[in-house]
C-alpha cells in the first residue's frame, strides 16, 4: 500500500479480525520494564458463604436530609464536597461558630457528658450550636436473616444522623425494644458518612454493648466518636474484601474515596435458598456495576442469579466518557434482579426510570416523610425468599 | 513543604505505603472529579472504572478525542516507601487521525463494531492492551516525611517494523498493507501520553494542597520492535527517537531508574521553574471557583436545573442583566450555566473535536458555553459535566424565541422550564417594535418583561411603551429596571416557583393602528372558574392547531383538589401540581387567530363564551 493512501479508509473496508500481524507475534514488550504486563484473567473465586432461607429488610429511615437545597447550600457554603465532614458544623458536632468552622473536638465537647443516655438534652444543645439541625434525617435499616433451620438473626445497617429523628424512627419500628432485649446481633456501618453514622448514640442508648462492624478506612474522629458515644461492646474493623458473618450472609468492603473526606464502603450480601444473591447497601458508592461484578467474581450463590437488592443505588461521580452509557438504568438491567427496593441516594428520577423501564421495583407507601412511592420509604419492608 | 495526604487517603491506608502507591491515581481522579468546576479545569472529561476487569480505569482528557486506559502492572513496598507501576494505553476514536500512526492490527481493532464496548473493559482484552499500550506511569510514596512522586515514561516514537510485510484480506482481494521490512507503526507515544500525565499531576497538586518541588528528566535511546510471521519479536536501536522519563516530586524526588542512562535534575524549588514548564497546570494547587459547582449525583440529588430563556433586542441590556443575575446566584452558592445558542466568533475551532459545546469561561458562579451541535446533545453534556442549578439560554438579539420553544419543550427530562425573560430597551423599543417582527415576537412570548434603561426616558414615554407592550402581551409580568438590576426572586418567585399570573385586562390599542405587516399573533385569555374534566381538557389540548405558539395557565380538575400549572408549546404539554394556592384558574393562548382558537377550546371544555 502506498503511503499516500489513507490507512483509515482502507482499514474500514478490510476484513475485520486480526491477521498475522503484530498480535500474531505476541510477546511484545521490550523497551522498558514498564512493558512487562501480567495478563491475569480474573478467576471467579466462588467463595461459599453458605445459604439462608430468607432476608427481610425494614426501612427504619432512608431520608438522610429533608431539603436538598439546604444541604447543598451548606456544602457549598462550607467550601465544597472535599471538606472534612466534621468541619461543616452540622449536628451533632456544632460548636456555635457557624458554617464550615466546626471541628470534632469542639463539637463533641458540648455534648459528650450526655451521651448516650440523655439525648433529648444533648439535642437541645446541638440545636443551639449547629447549622440546620432540622434538616438532618438519616439512613438506617433492620435486616432479619432467617436460617435454613428457621432461626432468625437481626442486624442493624447504619443508625442515621439526627438523634431526634432517629430516636422517633427507632421507636416507630420497635428497634428500641429489640436493642434493649439484646435481640440485635450486631450493628454494621456501611461507611462513615454523617447521615449513616452520626446517629450512633441512639442505638447505644438502648444497647451500649452491641457489637459494631466498621469498614477499614474510618478516620480518627470517627473512631473517637464510637468511644465518646459510650460504646462498651466489641468493635470489629473489616478489612477490604469479603468477610463471612453467618451461613448465607457476608459483608464486603470496597476501598473507595467518597465525598466529604470519607473512605471505604461496606455492603451486605446474602445467599437466599432457591432464589439467588440478595444485596443490601447503604449508598453503593462503588457503583452498581462494580458491586454486582464483585459478587459475581467473589461469591458462590444459588442459581448463579442476582435476585434482589435493597438500599441506595449510587450514581458514580465519574461522569462516564460515553454519554450514551451514562445511565444507571441501563447498567442495572444487565443483571436481571427480580426484586428491587431502592431509596435514599438512588434519586427519585432514577427510581421512576426503573419503573418506566419495567424493572421489578417494589413500591413503597410514601409515609413518615418519605416523598415518593417509587421509593421503599420510611417504615416499609421488603422480603427476599 | 508540607502536603496533606490525609484528606486523600485514610490513616489505615497511609500505614501501608505499597497500597498508597497503588491507590494514588484512582484517589486523585476520584477526588478531583467530585467537583465539576475543578475537573473541567484540570482537564478531566470523563472517568470510568473498569468494573468487570478490576483495577483498570478509562479516562478522557481535554484536547484528546480518544480514551486512555490506566491499569496496575506491579507494586512493591516496605515499611516506609511504596512504589507502583501502571500501564497507559490510548484508544483512539475510530475516525481519529492517530489511527494512522498505530499498527495495522490496532487500526483493524478500532474499526470493529464492538471496539468502544471492549475499550470500556479493556483490562479483559489482552489484544487491546498489547496493541494500544503507549506509556508507563510510576507512583511513589514515602512515609516519613510524607511525600508523593509520579513519573511518566514513553518513547518519542514507538516504531514497529514488519519484517515480512503485512497482507490483509479485503473485499477486493488481498492487499499488501505493509511492504516487507516496512514500518507497521510509528506512534508519537510521548506526546500522546503527556496530556493524561499533566491532568493527573495537576490533580495531585490540587488534592495535596501544594505544587511539586522537584522535576527530573531521565532519558535513553529508544528501541524499535521488529516482528516476522514465524519469528520472535526482536528489538534494535531506534534512531531519531529518545525515550523520556519525566518525574515530579511532592516532598520526595522521583528516584532514578538504571535503564535510563541520562539523568537531569531539571528543577528544584525554590529555583524558578524552567521556561518549558512555566504554564504547567500542576504549578498551581489552588483552583478558584471550586466551591460553587457540586456534583449533585454524588449526593443522590436529581433536581433538574431551572431554565430561563433570555431574549431581547440588540442593545437592550441582556448581558448586563445576566451579569447581575449570575452575581446574585453565586452569592447564594448557585451555579449558572449560560448557553449562547449561536456559535460565537471563537466557538468552532479545532479544539471542539466532536464536542457539542465549547466552554468559553468557568468561574466561581458560572460556566459559559457556546453551542456547536444540537441543543439537546450540548445540554446533556453540559448538565452532566457541570450540574448547574440554573441554565440561561441566551438568544441573540435577532432570534425569534418561538423557534426555540418547541425544541426546549422536548428537554423537560433534563430541565425544568422556568421562564422566557425578555429585556426591552425603554429608549429604543418603539422603533424595534415598529420595524421588526422578531422584536414583537420576543415581547409576545415573554413570561417576564424587563423594561430596562427606565431612567433614560420620561414617565409618559414609559407609560406609552408599557401600554404598547401590554397589547402584545397581556399575560406576562412587567418590571421597570435600571442597568438590568433586579432581584431574581422579584422576577421568578421564591425558589423559581413562580406560577403564571392571571393577565390584566387587555388595554385598548393606543393611537394609530400599526402599519407594519403583522402575522396576526395575539394572546387570548380563557377564564376557568369551575373545575374541568381532565379527559376533555386533554382532548382540547390535543386539538390545538399548529398556529398556537404557546399556551399556559392554572387549571383545576374534577379529579383532584390540587390545582395544576399548565404549560404548552407545539408538540408538548406539561401539567405540574402546584404547591401554593393560586389566585384563580385561567388559560392564556398565544398564537395566530388566538380568539378563534380560544373559542374552540372553550367549546371542547363545554364552557360558554365569556368576555375576557
Amino acid at each position: 500500500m502506498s503511503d499516500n493512501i489513507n490507512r483509515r479508509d482502507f482499514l474500514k473496508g478490510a476484513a475485520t479480525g486480526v491477521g498475522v500481524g503484530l498480535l500474531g507475534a505476541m510477546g511484545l514488550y521490550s523497551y522498558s520494564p514498564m512493558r512487562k504486563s501480567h495478563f491475569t484473567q480474573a478467576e471467579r473465586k466462588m467463595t461459599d458463604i453458605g445459604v439462608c432461607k430468607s432476608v427481610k429488610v425494614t426501612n427504619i429511615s432512608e431520608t438522610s436530609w429533608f431539603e436538598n437545597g439546604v444541604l447543598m447550600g451548606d456544602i457549598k457554603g462550607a467550601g465544597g464536597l472535599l471538606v472534612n465532614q466534621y468541619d461543616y458544623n452540622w449536628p451533632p458536632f456544632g460548636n456555635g461558630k457557624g458554617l464550615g468552622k466546626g471541628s470534632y473536638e469542639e463539637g463533641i465537647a458540648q455534648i459528650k457528658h450526655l451521651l448516650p443516655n440523655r439525648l433529648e438534652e444533648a439535642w437541645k444543645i446541638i440545636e443551639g450550636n449547629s447549622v440546620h439541625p432540622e434538616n438532618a434525617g438519616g439512613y438506617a435499616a433492620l435486616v432479619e436473616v432467617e436460617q435454613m433451620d428457621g432461626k432468625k438473626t437481626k442486624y442493624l445497617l447504619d443508625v442515621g444522623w439526627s438523634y431526634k429523628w432517629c430516636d422517633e424512627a427507632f421507636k416507630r419500628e420497635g428497634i428500641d425494644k429489640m436493642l434493649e432485649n439484646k435481640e440485635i446481633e450486631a450493628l454494621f456501618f456501611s461507611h462513615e458518612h454523617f447521615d449513616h453514622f452520626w446517629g450512633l448514640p441512639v442505638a447505644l442508648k438502648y444497647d451500649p454493648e452491641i457489637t459494631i462492624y466498621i469498614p477499614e478506612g474510618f478516620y480518627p474522629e470517627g473512631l473517637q466518636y464510637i468511644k465518646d458515644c459510650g460504646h462498651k461492646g466489641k468493635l470489629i474493623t473489616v478489612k477490604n474484601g469479603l468477610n463471612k458473618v453467618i451461613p448465607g450472609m457476608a459483608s464486603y468492603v470496597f476501598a473507595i474515596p467518597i465525598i466529604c473526606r470519607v473512605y471505604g464502603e461496606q455492603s451486605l450480601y446474602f445467599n437466599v435458598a432457591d432464589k439467588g444473591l440478595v444485596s443490601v447497601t447503604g449508598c453503593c458508592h462503588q457503583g452498581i456495576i462494580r458491586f454486582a461484578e464483585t459478587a459475581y467474581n467473589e461469591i458462590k450463590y444459588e442459581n448463579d442469579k442476582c435476585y434482589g437488592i435493597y438500599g441506595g443505588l449510587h450514581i458514580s461521580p465519574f461522569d462516564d466518557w460515553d454519554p450514551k452509557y451514562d445511565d444507571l438504568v441501563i447498567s442495572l438491567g444487565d443483571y436481571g434482579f427480580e426484586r428491587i427496593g431502592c431509596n435514599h441516594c438512588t434519586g427519585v428520577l432514577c427510581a421512576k426510570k426503573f419503573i418506566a423501564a419495567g424493572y421489578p421495583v417494589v413500591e413503597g407507601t410514601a409515609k413518615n416523610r418519605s416523598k415518593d412511592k417509587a421509593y421503599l420509604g420510611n417504615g416499609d419492608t421488603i422480603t427476599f425468599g | 513543604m508540607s502536603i496533606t495526604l490525609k484528606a486523600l487517603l485514610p490513616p489505615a491506608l497511609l500505614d501501608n505505603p505499597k497500597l498508597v502507591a497503588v491507590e494514588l491515581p484512582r484517589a486523585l481522579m476520584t477526588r478531583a472529579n467530585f467537583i465539576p468546576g475543578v475537573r473541567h479545569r484540570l482537564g478531566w472529561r470523563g472517568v470510568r472504572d473498569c468494573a468487570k476487569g478490576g483495577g483498570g480505569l478509562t479516562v478522557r482528557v481535554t484536547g484528546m478525542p480518544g480514551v486512555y486506559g490506566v491499569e496496575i502492572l506491579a507494586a512493591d513496598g516496605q515499611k516506609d516507601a511504596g512504589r507502583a507501576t501502571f500501564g497507559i494505553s490510548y484508544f483512539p476514536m475510530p475516525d481519529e487521525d492517530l489511527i494512522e500512526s498505530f499498527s495495522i492490527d490496532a487500526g483493524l481493532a478500532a474499526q470493529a463494531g464492538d471496539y468502544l464496548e471492549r475499550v470500556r473493559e479493556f483490562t479483559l482484552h489482552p489484544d487491546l492492551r498489547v496493541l494500544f499500550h503507549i506509556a508507563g506511569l510510576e507512583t511513589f510514596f514515602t512515609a516519613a516525611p510524607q511525600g508523593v512522586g509520579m513519573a511518566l515514561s514513553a518513547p518519542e516514537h514507538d516504531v514497529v517494523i514488519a519484517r515480512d510485510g503485512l497482507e490483509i484480506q479485503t473485499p477486493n482481494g488481498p492487499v499488501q498493507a505493509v511492504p516487507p521490512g516496512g514500518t507497521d507503526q510509528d506512534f508519537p507515544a510521548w506526546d500522546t501520553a503527556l496530556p493524561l500525565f499533566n491532568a493527573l499531576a495537576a490533580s495531585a497538586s490540587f488534592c495535596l494542597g501544594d505544587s511539586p518541588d522537584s522535576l527530573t528528566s531521565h532519558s535513553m535511546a529508544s528501541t524499535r520492535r521488529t516482528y516476522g510471521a514465524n519469528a520472535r519479536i526482536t528489538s534494535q536501536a531506534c534512531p531519531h527517537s529518545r525515550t523520556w522519563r519525566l518525574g515530579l516530586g511532592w516532598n520526595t524526588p522521583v528516584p532514578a531508574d538504571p535503564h535510563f542512562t541520562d539523568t537531569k535534575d531539571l528543577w528544584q524549588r525554590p529555583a524558578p521553574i524552567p521556561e518549558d514548564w512555566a504554564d504547567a497546570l500542576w504549578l498551581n494547587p489552588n483552583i478558584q471557583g471550586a466551591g460553587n459547582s457540586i456534583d449533585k449525583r454524588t449526593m443522590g440529588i436529581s433536581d433538574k436545573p431551572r431554565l430561563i430563556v433570555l431574549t431581547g433586542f440588540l442593545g437592550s441590556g441582556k448581558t448586563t442583566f445576566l451579569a447581575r443575575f449570575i452575581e446574585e446566584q453565586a452569592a447564594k452558592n448557585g451555579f449558572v450555566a449560560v448557553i449562547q445558542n449561536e456559535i460565537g466568533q471563537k466557538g468552532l475551532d479545532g479544539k471542539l473535536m466532536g464536542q457539542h459545546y465549547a466552554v468559553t469561561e468557568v468561574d466561581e458562579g458560572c460556566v459559559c458555553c457556546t453551542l456547536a451541535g444540537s441543543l439537546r446533545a450540548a445540554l446533556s453534556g453540559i448538565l452532566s459535566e457541570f450540574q448547574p442549578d440554573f441554565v440561561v439560554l441566551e438568544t441573540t438579539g435577532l432570534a425569534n424565541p418561538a423557534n426555540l420553544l418547541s425544541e426546549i419543550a422536548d428537554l423537560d427530562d433534563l430541565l425544568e422550564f422556568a421562564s422566557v425573560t425578555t429585556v426591552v430597551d425603554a429608549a429604543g423599543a418603539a422603533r424595534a417594535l415598529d420595524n421588526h417582527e422578531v422584536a414583537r415576537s420576543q415581547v409576545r412570548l415573554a413570561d417576564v418583561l424587563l423594561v430596562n434603561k427606565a431612567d433614560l426616558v420620561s414617565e409618559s414615554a414609559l407609560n406609552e411603551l408599557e401600554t404598547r407592550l401590554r397589547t402584545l402581551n397581556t399575560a406576562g409580568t412587567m418590571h421597570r429596571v435600571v442597568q438590568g438590576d433586579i432581584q431574581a426572586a422579584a422576577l421568578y418567585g421564591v425558589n423559581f416557583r413562580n406560577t403564571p399570573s392571571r393577565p390584566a385586562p387587555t388595554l385598548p390599542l393606543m393611537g394609530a393602528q400599526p402599519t407594519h405587516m403583522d402575522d396576526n399573533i395575539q394572546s387570548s385569555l380563557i377564564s376557568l372558574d369551575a373545575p374541568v374534566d381532565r379527559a376533555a381538557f386533554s382532548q382540547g389540548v390535543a386539538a390545538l392547531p399548529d398556529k398556537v405558539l404557546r399556551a399556559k395557565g392554572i387549571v383545576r380538575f374534577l379529579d383532584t383538589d390540587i390545582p395544576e400549572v399548565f404549560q404548552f408549546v407545539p408538540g408538548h404539554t406539561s401539567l405540574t401540581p402546584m404547591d401554593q394556592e393560586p389566585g384563580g384558574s385561567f388559560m392564556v393562548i398565544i398564537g395566530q387567530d388566538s380568539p378563534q382558537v380560544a373559542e374552540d377550546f372553550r367549546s371542547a371544555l363545554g364552557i360558554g363564551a365569556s368576555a375576557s
Side-chain angles (χ1 to χ4, degrees):
Chain A
M1 186 172 74
S2 73
D3 284 347
N4 56 14
I5 295 182
N6 184 316
R7 266 192 186 190
R8 262 177 306 169
D9 299 345
F10 156 81
L11 289 170
K12 272 187 194 127
T16 52
V18 177
V20 278
L22 186 52
L23 211 54
M26 276 255 282
L28 171 77
Y29 296 120
S30 64
Y31 78 73
S32 90
M34 291 299 158
R35 294 226 160 192
K36 292 190 183 65
S37 178
H38 325 287
F39 290 118
T40 46
Q41 283 303 348
E43 290 283 312
R44 287 185 72 182
K45 287 187 196 155
M46 305 280 278
T47 305
D48 189 347
I49 62 166
V51 68
C52 61
K53 199 175 194 171
S54 73
V55 180
K56 179 185 175 192
V57 184
T58 303
N59 174 354
I60 302 167
S61 169
E62 55 85 18
T63 322
S64 282
W65 51 82
F66 298 106
E67 292 297 333
N68 285 339
V70 171
L71 188 94
M72 288 202 297
D74 288 352
I75 289 175
K76 288 175 176 180
L81 280 174
L82 298 185
V83 171
N84 170 5
Q85 59 176 351
Y86 296 94
D87 295 348
Y88 283 106
N89 233 330
W90 276 333
F93 304 117
N95 63 4
K97 293 179 182 173
L99 185 61
K101 298 188 178 71
S103 80
Y104 176 77
E105 291 75 15
E106 290 176 8
I108 198 76
Q110 318 280 329
I111 53 167
K112 190 177 161 181
H113 60 290
L114 301 170
L115 305 184
N117 296 317
R118 292 155 63 193
L119 296 188
E120 280 177 28
E121 290 167 71
W123 195 250
K124 283 215 168 51
I125 294 169
I126 290 162
E127 281 181 319
N129 286 336
S130 306
V131 174
H132 292 130
E134 76 294 340
N135 198 37
Y139 176 99
L142 175 74
V143 180
E144 296 173 78
V145 189
E146 187 185 3
Q147 302 286 276
M148 296 311 284
D149 61 7
K151 178 173 177 268
K152 288 187 179 170
T153 317
K154 293 183 178 138
Y155 297 95
L156 275 178
L157 175 65
D158 295 334
V159 292
W161 177 9
S162 157
Y163 298 175
K164 184 163 175 274
W165 167 257
C166 294
D167 204 12
E168 287 165 15
F170 271 40
K171 287 187 171 123
R172 185 188 70 224
E173 302 306 328
I175 309 294
D176 53 341
K177 296 282 180 291
M178 294 177 203
L179 284 163
E180 279 172 348
N181 301 336
K182 305 283 182 194
E183 287 173 41
I184 296 182
E185 194 68 25
L187 160 57
F188 282 85
F189 278 117
S190 62
H191 60 304
E192 201 189 343
H193 259 169
F194 51 93
D195 52 325
H196 293 250
F197 170 56
W198 287 358
L200 176 59
V202 180
L204 297 183
K205 174 173 147 187
Y206 301 110
D207 183 6
E209 282 92 25
I210 193 166
T211 300
I212 297 179
Y213 291 84
I214 57 170
E216 189 175 37
F218 264 49
Y219 273 81
E221 296 97 322
L223 297 169
Q224 186 59 43
Y225 184 47
I226 295 173
K227 292 185 191 126
D228 289 346
C229 288
H231 182 235
K232 299 190 179 68
K234 256 196 301 187
L235 175 65
I236 298 163
T237 300
V238 183
K239 289 246 180 281
N240 295 336
L242 192 69
N243 155 55
K244 292 188 201 178
V245 183
I246 54 170
M249 173 181 178
S251 82
Y252 196 95
V253 172
F254 296 84
I256 36 162
I258 310 176
I259 52 172
C260 310
R261 202 209 61 172
V262 167
Y263 195 94
E265 174 152 358
Q266 175 171 229
S267 302
L268 302 177
Y269 289 115
F270 303 87
N271 184 23
V272 178
D274 305 326
K275 297 291 186 194
L277 183 82
V278 170
S279 315
V280 176
T281 67
C283 276
C284 203
H285 285 99
Q286 63 275 31
I288 182 72
I289 301 179
R290 198 161 158 205
F291 181 56
E293 289 296 330
T294 300
Y296 176 80
N297 287 321
E298 297 273 347
I299 303 172
K300 180 163 156 266
Y301 44 89
E302 298 277 287
N303 306 328
D304 213 12
K305 172 153 190 55
C306 287
Y307 176 70
I309 191 160
Y310 170 87
L313 294 180
H314 208 79
I315 297 183
S316 162
F318 291 168
D319 60 333
D320 199 342
W321 44 261
D322 188 346
K324 81 169 177 280
Y325 290 98
D326 184 16
D327 200 341
L328 189 61
V329 179
I330 297 171
S331 28
L332 191 66
D334 294 344
Y335 296 100
F337 286 103
E338 285 184 29
R339 282 175 77 70
I340 299 172
C342 53
N343 53 28
H344 184 52
C345 60
T346 308
V348 173
L349 286 177
C350 211
K352 287 186 168 160
K353 279 188 193 170
F354 293 159
I355 294 168
Y359 293 174
V361 172
V362 179
E363 295 198 19
T365 53
K367 57 187 185 200
N368 307 316
R369 295 185 80 176
S370 276
K371 284 180 180 162
D372 205 293
K373 286 187 180 174
Y375 269 8
L376 216 49
N378 302 334
D380 292 332
T381 63
I382 185 169
T383 304
F384 303 97
Chain B
M1 71 184 281
S2 75
I3 53 171
T4 41
L5 265 163
K6 72 174 195 298
L8 194 66
L9 295 165
L13 205 76
L14 294 176
D15 294 342
N16 183 338
K18 174 178 157 183
L19 255 184
V20 174
V22 169
E23 289 296 326
L24 194 66
R26 181 187 304 270
L28 291 173
M29 286 187 214
T30 309
R31 297 271 186 212
N33 272 276
F34 280 142
I35 305 168
V38 168
R39 70 178 170 227
H40 185 89
R41 259 184 275 186
L42 294 180
W44 301 115
R45 292 293 179 273
V47 180
R48 184 183 178 273
D49 202 9
C50 298
K52 294 184 176 169
L57 286 166
T58 49
V59 196
R60 284 179 95 168
V61 171
T62 310
M64 297 298 283
V67 176
Y68 292 89
V70 181
E71 58 176 326
I72 181 87
L73 298 180
D76 54 71
Q78 305 87 37
K79 195 161 53 67
D80 55 350
R83 169 177 181 266
T85 58
F86 301 82
I88 295 177
S89 305
Y90 182 73
F91 305 103
M93 288 292 126
D95 56 356
E96 197 177 327
D97 289 346
L98 273 174
I99 290 271
E100 299 289 317
S101 313
F102 271 118
S103 66
I104 292 285
D105 273 339
L108 282 171
Q111 302 308 318
D114 61 351
Y115 168 62
L116 283 180
E117 278 293 335
R118 297 200 318 138
V119 165
R120 293 170 73 76
E121 297 291 348
F122 78 99
T123 49
L124 295 179
H125 304 292
D127 62 322
L128 291 183
R129 301 160 73 196
V130 168
L131 293 171
F132 295 97
H133 175 101
I134 60 165
L137 170 75
E138 296 160 275
T139 55
F140 303 90
F141 172 67
T142 54
Q146 277 193 351
V148 166
M150 287 199 286
L152 176 74
S153 306
E156 290 166 346
H157 296 273
D158 189 6
V159 178
V160 177
I161 306 295
R163 198 189 61 193
D164 305 330
L166 186 60
E167 194 177 75
I168 294 189
Q169 293 303 321
T170 75
N172 311 322
V175 169
Q176 186 77 33
V178 183
T183 303
D184 186 9
Q185 168 170 304
D186 180 353
F187 190 79
W190 178 258
D191 286 347
T192 306
L194 200 55
L196 173 67
F197 184 72
N198 283 336
L200 203 55
S203 300
S205 293
F206 171 72
C207 291
L208 299 170
D210 205 344
S211 51
D213 58 354
S214 67
L215 178 65
T216 50
S217 166
H218 309 159
S219 72
M220 61 179 175
S222 301
T223 54
R224 66 180 194 194
R225 290 164 285 157
T226 299
Y227 71 88
N230 297 309
R232 282 190 57 241
I233 290 189
T234 55
S235 64
Q236 309 82 28
C238 178
H240 326 303
S241 172
R242 286 196 77 70
T243 295
W244 295 95
R245 179 172 180 264
L246 180 73
L248 280 173
W250 287 259
N251 216 24
T252 188
V254 165
D257 177 317
H259 295 87
F260 289 84
T261 46
D262 298 354
T263 298
K264 266 215 295 274
D265 290 330
L266 288 180
W267 171 71
Q268 183 79 40
R269 210 190 282 176
I273 191 91
E275 189 72 25
D276 287 357
W277 307 99
D279 297 333
L281 205 52
W282 38 257
L283 278 178
N284 182 7
N286 305 312
I287 307 235
Q288 294 306 311
N292 276 36
S293 62
I294 210 171
D295 195 320
K296 294 178 200 169
R297 284 174 310 186
T298 54
M299 314 294 301
I301 294 171
S302 49
D303 292 352
K304 288 187 267 190
R306 302 257 170 23
L307 173 72
I308 296 166
V309 179
L310 182 61
T311 79
F313 217 57
L314 298 170
S316 57
K318 286 195 307 288
T319 311
T320 320
F321 166 73
L322 186 56
R324 299 249 178 190
F325 177 78
I326 290 167
E327 203 178 320
E328 185 191 352
Q329 295 311 325
K332 296 180 188 166
N333 296 315
F335 193 76
V336 184
V338 179
I339 300 175
Q340 274 136 353
N341 78 334
E342 281 189 345
I343 303 297
Q345 291 302 309
K346 55 186 173 181
L348 265 182
D349 52 15
K351 285 184 188 153
L352 263 181
M353 285 193 304
Q355 283 269 57
H356 294 283
Y357 58 96
V359 174
T360 49
E361 192 188 336
V362 191
D363 67 25
E364 191 67 50
C366 79
V367 52
C368 298
C369 315
T370 51
L371 278 191
S374 83
L375 181 57
R376 186 179 186 89
L379 261 172
S380 304
I382 292 164
L383 298 191
S384 167
E385 194 181 348
F386 294 100
Q387 298 176 35
D389 304 301
F390 305 97
V391 174
V392 177
L393 187 57
E394 191 186 3
T395 67
T396 58
L398 293 170
N400 187 334
N403 304 335
L404 261 179
L405 280 177
S406 59
E407 197 177 350
I408 284 167
D410 292 335
L411 304 170
D412 76 327
D413 57 322
L414 302 174
L415 294 163
E416 193 170 319
F417 179 78
S419 163
V420 175
T421 298
T422 300
V423 184
V424 178
D425 170 6
R431 186 142 42 109
L433 292 171
D434 285 344
N435 299 330
H436 298 282
E437 172 55 27
V438 166
R440 295 191 293 276
S441 193
Q442 287 173 346
V443 170
R444 280 195 201 99
L445 290 168
D447 299 288
V448 173
L449 283 160
L450 292 181
V451 181
N452 194 24
K453 309 185 191 177
D455 54 330
L456 302 183
V457 294
S458 68
E459 181 70 18
S460 65
L462 272 176
N463 286 332
E464 196 177 321
L465 173 63
E466 286 175 353
T467 304
R468 184 168 178 187
L469 293 174
R470 273 286 168 235
T471 61
L472 288 165
N473 183 332
T474 52
T477 56
M478 193 150 26
H479 305 265
R480 291 183 186 181
V481 288
V482 174
Q483 299 272 334
D485 193 10
I486 185 164
Q487 292 279 317
L491 297 184
Y492 306 118
V494 177
N495 292 335
F496 284 64
R497 296 272 181 204
N498 243 11
T499 49
S501 53
R502 191 188 177 90
T506 311
L507 297 150
L509 214 58
M510 307 286 285
Q513 286 295 319
T515 52
H516 48 78
M517 277 300 296
D518 216 328
D519 48 12
N520 199 17
I521 293 172
Q522 298 160 276
S523 54
S524 298
L525 172 70
I526 302 171
S527 285
L528 300 169
D529 300 326
V532 297
D533 175 66
R534 192 179 291 271
F537 184 85
S538 300
Q539 281 163 8
V541 170
L544 286 174
D546 292 344
K547 50 195 178 183
V548 175
L549 293 172
R550 180 102 197 264
K552 57 186 175 182
I554 296 172
V555 190
R556 285 176 189 279
F557 291 105
L558 291 164
D559 56 17
T560 169
D561 290 342
I562 300 165
E564 296 180 25
V565 176
F566 165 70
Q567 293 273 14
F568 168 90
V569 296
H572 184 89
T573 307
S574 74
L575 282 160
T576 320
M578 286 181 67
D579 46 10
Q580 62 204 69
E581 199 49 34
S585 305
F586 63 90
M587 183 164 139
V588 176
I589 295 178
I590 303 168
Q592 277 177 302
D593 307 324
S594 68
Q596 185 55 49
V597 174
E599 208 49 57
D600 296 345
F601 194 82
R602 279 197 196 95
S603 310
L605 289 181
I607 308 171
S610 62
S612 61

